[in-house]
Amino acid sequence: MKSFRARLVLSFTVLTAVVSAFMAAWTYQSSAEALRDDTDRLLRDRAYVLSKSVTPMSMRLAPWMEAFLETDKTGLRVQVIDPEGEVLTQSANLDEPLPLSKAAREATATNMSSFTETAVLKDGGTVRVASVPVTTYRDNQSSVIGFAQAALPVSAQDARLQPVRLRLVIAVLAATVVAWLLATLLAKTWLRSVDAAAESAHRIGSGETLRERLFVPKDEDEIARLARAFNELLDRLESAHGTQQRFLADASHELRTPLTVLRGEIEVALRRERPAEEYREVLESSREEIERLARLTENLLSLARSDAGEGIVTHEAVDLAALCARVREAMSGMAEQKRMKLTVEAPEPVFVNGDAGALERVCLNLIENAIRYSPAGENVTLQVVNENGEAVLSVSDTGPGIGAEHLPHLFERFYRVDKARSREHGGAGLGLAIVEALVKAHGGSVSVSSVVGQGTTFTIRLPLAG
């Protein structure tokens, strides 16, 4: 019963069978009670008629009375007994006297009304007996001179109930079969879309493309929601797959370039004997390529850690104003080489929760880009402010700016605005991708604005420390 379809059909069938059986039992019980009430009413009426048909002078059952009571047709058994229990008269179909219990004697004698009970005969048969007192008036007083009794075998009631039982059992079985057929049909109809979705998912899983999507039915809201959610998942998987493929291709290309340069220079140097100065030039060039490979490898490792949720190592209160001051000191040498002015504007401490090393790398990457791609003599400004409950860190330069067509792609991995200049400076287009990954790991956001010929500003927003 691992199949949902089988469990659904079984559950519906069992539930219908249980409900039908409960209703059949209630119907049978109600019918039995109604039949018993009708039988008791019939017995009381016949006993009352019998009590009025006898007189103190003649306590005998007349033949016409037995025909009137229809003892032969209904199986009714009647008798009249005196107060001592001696049978005075009885119907022809009565084989042995009907018992009169002490409770029936006292009830009828005291209340002058009928009393109905179930009695067991000497032969083991069970009958339903109604007893009515036979009275006479003497000296303005009523006295009991006998008891009129009418009885019917309980088996006669069971015989009348047997067809009812049979019909109810057949009804329960029929309802169960119909429920099973209906549940099977409905399950097939309801799960038709699920089967189609499973078949589509199997084709997608076994194929080489993620472009196929599940069919979204219009008349089944639950299945439609499931199909749409699965299609959204496929969209994300396809996007992630494409990003991964592009990342691998770009990473392979970036790694292949310095390796090709290294191999070419070494092969040229080994073709013949050279002076020590030429070997030195080859080694220096090789060192530059190795440094470039080291930076690329470090950046790839940083991105991999960020993707794995390991971009933040520690969580502590970090003062962005003090952090920017440290970064300014670290980058002052690089700025002086290009005669650039590096300024920090932080009027007060601004604390955030995060990893000081990761946030410092964010600032270093932004300032390094600003210094590398700005002409000599320009200005780079770091500003830290508390704005509307957020810590805002901005890095601005007065360089050439970035075209509007490039801004949406700046944070994509391996994307370069000017590929020739980026390669000249040793960049692989990963710095801004690392910045975005680390900022998002801190629960913040990064944006960029630029005007060609006027400069570029990167703005980072982080939640303040609690």
Side-chain angles (χ1 to χ4, degrees), residues 14-280:
V14 171
L15 179 62
T16 303
V18 171
V19 173
S20 300
F22 176 79
M23 294 299 298
W26 179 81
T27 302
Y28 179 79
Q29 184 66 24
S30 300
S31 301
E33 292 178 358
L35 179 60
R36 186 176 64 249
D37 293 340
D38 291 343
T39 301
D40 290 350
R41 190 180 303 110
L42 173 66
L43 293 176
R44 288 194 297 270
D45 292 343
R46 294 294 189 266
Y48 181 78
V49 171
L50 179 61
S51 67
K52 297 302 181 182
S53 67
V54 296
T55 63
M57 301 301 295
S58 176
M59 301 288 283
R60 298 292 178 185
L61 180 63
W64 66 268
M65 177 56 65
E66 189 168 354
F68 176 77
L69 295 177
E70 297 180 336
T71 55
D72 292 337
K73 184 183 298 184
T74 62
L76 184 70
R77 304 171 186 181
V78 298
Q79 72 176 17
V80 178
I81 61 175
D82 61 15
E84 285 73 26
E86 182 179 354
V87 178
L88 302 178
T89 184
Q90 64 182 26
S91 60
N93 61 355
L94 184 60
D95 298 331
E96 62 176 272
L98 299 174
L100 180 64
S101 66
K102 181 178 180 181
R105 182 187 297 272
E106 292 177 354
T108 53
T110 303
N111 300 324
M112 297 299 176
S113 61
S114 62
F115 184 85
T116 307
E117 61 183 341
T118 300
V120 179
L121 302 177
K122 294 180 179 180
D123 60 1
T126 306
V127 293
R128 190 72 177 167
V129 182
S131 303
V132 176
V134 180
T135 59
T136 185
Y137 289 91
R138 293 180 181 177
D139 300 331
N140 295 326
Q141 287 186 345
S142 177
S143 59
V144 177
I145 60 174
F147 299 92
Q149 293 179 292
L152 276 175
V154 174
S155 58
Q157 300 182 41
D158 294 338
R160 294 182 62 181
L161 288 174
Q162 185 175 0
V164 177
R165 286 198 300 268
L166 181 60
R167 293 189 183 97
L168 290 176
V169 170
I170 294 175
V172 171
L173 294 177
T176 302
V177 173
V178 171
W180 178 76
L181 294 175
L182 182 61
T184 302
L185 178 62
L186 291 178
K188 183 178 180 180
T189 303
W190 292 339
L191 299 178
R192 179 177 54 197
S193 299
V194 176
D195 293 338
E199 184 178 353
S200 299
H202 178 72
R203 288 198 304 269
I204 295 172
S206 60
E208 297 180 356
T209 179
L210 294 174
R211 295 181 180 178
E212 186 176 352
R213 294 296 180 266
L214 301 186
F215 171 72
V216 180
K218 297 181 179 180
D219 55 346
E220 300 179 32
D221 293 339
E222 295 80 3
I223 304 301
R225 287 199 300 270
L226 177 62
R228 282 193 292 268
F230 195 82
N231 287 339
E232 292 173 0
L233 175 61
L234 289 176
D235 291 338
R236 291 194 294 270
L237 288 176
E238 183 179 11
S239 176
H241 180 71
T243 302
Q244 182 185 30
Q245 294 297 321
R246 291 192 300 273
F247 179 79
L248 291 175
D250 293 338
S252 300
H253 177 73
E254 293 296 331
L255 290 171
R256 182 176 56 191
T257 300
L259 290 174
T260 302
V261 173
L262 276 173
R263 184 176 62 181
E265 291 179 347
I266 293 173
E267 288 179 352
V268 170
L270 293 176
R271 285 177 183 174
R272 60 181 176 83
E273 293 291 334
R274 297 176 182 274
E277 187 64 26
E278 292 185 11
Y279 284 124
R280 182 179 181 84

Side-chain angles (χ1 to χ4, degrees), residues 54 306 462:
V54 296
S306 298
L462 296 171

Side-chain angles (χ1 to χ4, degrees), residues 281-322:
E281 291 178 359
V282 172
L283 291 175
E284 288 179 353
S285 178
S286 298
R287 183 180 63 182
E288 292 177 359
E289 296 300 330
I290 291 173
E291 289 176 353
R292 181 179 175 185
L293 280 172
R295 287 196 300 272
L296 178 58
T297 304
E298 184 179 355
N299 288 337
L300 290 174
L301 181 59
S302 296
L303 287 175
R305 287 174 176 172
S306 298
D307 292 341
E310 300 174 357
I312 301 178
V313 179
T314 61
H315 290 270
E316 58 186 357
V318 180
D319 182 5
L320 291 183

